């Protein structure tokens, strides 16, 4: 008992230290949008403001002209992803159902800690449609992968626009991103093709029943990836959400005075996606402000406009998706406390992640 208590205490301490580390790292990264860090030890304070902060706050209302269409485009991601989701599901699910689940997932992702939005929408689909959880999660995974592929294509096409020379500085990072995308697509296709036969072979030999169950559900969840036509269909449906989001960021860049900024929205979106996809880095908000402000300054924005771009695009995304998601949460009569980490629905979803993957397949 003492050993268990000691281990539990050690895990709690590790989680607390990780949370503190994440908070400090996020604050440091976020501050780079507004301050320069004087780490050379030269004259002046450690933090040097990039611009007068008081004037910055007073000028924020002037950006409403582009913030409103930005928020509308970000809100449109929810119905577009609801349409996209059916292309990876093996069974027809009503559009209304898919819409509400995507909206609830967006609410959880943006309003509650833990970034459990995709897990939550997969869990709720599993619960309402009686589909195994891993199959639902696999369908969402294919959607996200095809969005990433569509984004990489859009970023590549952006190099042909008026910012071609400016964006060429990102050519090395783009090659890495495209290679990562191709590798992930290849991995998903391999899993889709071979997880089923491998599960069958293990089942015949009466070996590793839990692994058999896991592979069986993975095979079903990634079923769309077993055919070129299926993947192409998902890719086509993935263009809508990516194009809407890239257009939103392009309008914002144009709004802060960057001529031809519409063509650079995809690049900024790609930088955000890559920056926030780093595993094990609990500083998503800080990374967002660091990446977006740096990208805007690189494209010619003033430090003040770059900081406004970071601040308002972040707030606009959160407010628009939380507002739309909150309507679905209300209509479905779900209590917010049940969606929080530690709430009943969140606990059940976490339980599925931890245990469903190792349940034997039912025949």
């Amino acid at each position: 008992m003492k050993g268990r208590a000691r281990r539990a205490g050690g895990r709690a301490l590790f989680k607390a230290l990780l949370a503190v580390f994440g908070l400090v790292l996020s604050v440091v990264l976020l501050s780079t949008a507004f301050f320069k860090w004087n780490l050379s030890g030269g004259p002046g304070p450690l933090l040097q403001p990039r611009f007068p902060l008081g004037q910055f706050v007073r000028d924020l209302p002037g950006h409403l002209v582009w913030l409103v269409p930005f928020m509308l485009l970000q809100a449109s991601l929810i119905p577009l992803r609801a349409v996209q989701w059916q292309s990876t599901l093996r069974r027809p699910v009503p559009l209304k159902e898919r819409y509400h689940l995507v909206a609830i997932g967006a609410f959880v992702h943006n309003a509650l800690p833990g970034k459990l939005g995709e897990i939550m929408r997969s869990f709720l689909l599993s619960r309402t449609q009686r589909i195994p959880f891993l199959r639902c999660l696999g369908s969402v995974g294919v959607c996200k992968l095809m969005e990433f592929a569509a984004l990489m294509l859009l970023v590549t096409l952006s190099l042909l626009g008026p910012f071609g020379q400016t964006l060429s500085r990102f050519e090395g990072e783009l090659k890495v991103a495209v290679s990562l995308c191709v590798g992930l697509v290849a991995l998903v296709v391999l899993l889709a093709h071979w997880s089923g036969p491998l599960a069958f072979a293990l089942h015949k030999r009466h070996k590793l029943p839990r692994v058999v169950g896991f592979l069986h559900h993975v095979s079903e969840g990634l079923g769309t990836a077993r055919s070129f036509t299926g993947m192409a269909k998902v890719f086509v449906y993935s263009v809508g959400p990516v194009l809407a989001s890239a257009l939103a960021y392009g309008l914002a860049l144009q709004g802060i005075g960057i001529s031809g900024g519409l063509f650079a929205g995809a690049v900024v979106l790609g930088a955000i996606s890559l920056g926030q996809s780093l595993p094990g880095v609990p500083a998503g908000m800080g990374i967002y402000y660091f990446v977006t402000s740096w990208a805007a300054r690189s494209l010619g924005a003033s430090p003040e406009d770059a900081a406004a771009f970071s601040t308002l695009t972040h707030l606009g995304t959160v407010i628009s998706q939380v507002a739309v998601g909150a309507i679905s949460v209300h209509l479905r009569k779900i209590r917010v406390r049940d969606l929080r980490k530690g709430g009943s629905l969140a606990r059940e979803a976490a339980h599925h992640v931890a245990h469903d993957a190792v349940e034997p397949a039912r025949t």
Side-chain angles (χ1 to χ4, degrees):
M1 292 292 289
K2 287 183 179 178
R4 282 185 187 175
R6 214 175 280 122
R7 283 195 297 273
R11 284 195 295 268
L13 178 61
F14 175 76
K15 287 180 180 178
L17 290 174
L18 187 65
V20 171
F21 169 75
L23 178 62
V24 172
L25 179 61
S26 192
V27 169
V28 170
L29 290 172
L30 189 153
S31 69
T32 60
F34 306 93
F35 298 92
K36 288 181 181 178
W37 283 81
N38 182 19
L39 300 176
S40 62
L46 178 63
L47 282 178
Q48 300 175 352
R50 292 184 183 273
F51 44 80
L53 295 177
Q55 187 62 43
F56 167 78
V57 173
R58 287 191 291 272
D59 289 343
L60 283 179
H63 294 283
L64 284 174
V65 66
W66 62 260
L67 180 59
V68 173
F70 175 88
M71 292 175 67
L72 291 174
L73 283 166
Q74 288 296 76
S76 75
L77 294 181
I78 291 175
L80 288 171
R81 282 178 174 151
V83 172
Q84 173 207 33
W85 199 5
Q86 183 60 67
S87 64
T88 63
L89 293 170
R90 304 289 295 276
R91 180 195 305 174
V93 176
L95 176 60
K96 182 179 178 181
E97 178 74 9
R98 283 179 275 128
Y99 170 83
H100 284 306
L101 298 187
V102 173
I104 292 168
F107 177 86
V108 171
H109 181 83
N110 288 283
L112 303 176
K115 302 298 181 185
L116 298 173
E118 306 301 350
I119 291 174
M120 185 59 69
R121 71 150 147 155
S122 302
F123 167 70
L124 291 174
L125 181 69
S126 171
R127 184 161 144 169
T128 58
Q129 301 296 310
R130 301 288 186 265
I131 303 172
F133 170 74
L134 277 177
R135 297 184 193 180
C136 299
L137 191 60
S139 69
V140 173
V142 174
C143 285
K144 304 306 286 186
L145 179 60
M146 287 297 97
E147 279 192 32
F148 185 46
L151 176 58
M152 289 302 100
L153 176 61
L154 195 57
V155 170
T156 304
L157 292 175
S158 297
L159 296 175
L160 304 176
F163 277 107
Q165 274 196 316
T166 304
L167 298 178
S168 63
R169 74 180 66 177
F170 303 113
E171 190 174 342
E173 291 82 353
L174 178 59
K175 288 179 180 177
V176 172
V178 170
S179 300
L180 175 64
C181 180
V182 171
L184 288 172
V185 170
L187 176 61
V188 167
V189 170
L190 285 173
L191 283 171
H193 277 281
W194 294 105
S195 54
L198 182 57
F200 181 71
L202 290 172
H203 179 69
K204 280 184 68 176
R205 290 172 173 78
H206 303 287
K207 291 182 177 179
L208 305 173
R210 292 184 174 184
V211 176
V212 169
F214 173 76
L215 291 172
H216 175 73
H217 289 317
V218 166
S219 176
E220 289 295 323
L222 302 179
T224 309
R226 280 197 286 271
S227 74
F228 175 80
T229 303
M231 289 289 274
K233 182 180 177 182
V234 182
F235 182 84
V236 169
Y237 279 108
S238 300
V239 170
V242 170
L243 200 56
S245 195
L247 181 59
Y249 281 98
L251 282 173
L253 289 171
Q254 193 87 22
I256 62 173
I258 296 178
S259 178
L262 280 175
F263 293 90
V267 176
V268 174
L269 182 60
I272 294 167
S273 299
L274 289 172
Q276 294 195 324
S277 67
L278 293 173
V281 181
M285 186 187 297
I287 291 172
Y288 181 91
Y289 276 78
F290 173 78
V291 168
T292 50
S293 60
W294 166 78
R297 290 195 302 270
S298 298
L299 293 170
S302 67
E304 184 173 6
D305 284 337
F309 174 76
S310 299
T311 303
L312 295 177
T313 55
H314 174 250
L315 290 176
T317 300
V318 170
I319 292 170
S320 60
Q321 299 205 1
V322 167
V324 174
I327 295 171
S328 293
V329 169
H330 174 72
L331 291 175
R332 286 304 178 91
K333 303 189 186 321
I334 297 176
R335 296 177 299 182
V336 173
R337 68 169 174 266
D338 287 335
L339 293 170
R340 289 192 190 123
K341 196 174 181 181
S344 61
L345 286 174
R347 279 199 307 271
E348 285 184 67
H351 173 81
H352 275 67
V353 173
H355 298 290
D356 262 26
V358 295
E359 283 294 313
R362 295 180 181 176
T363 58

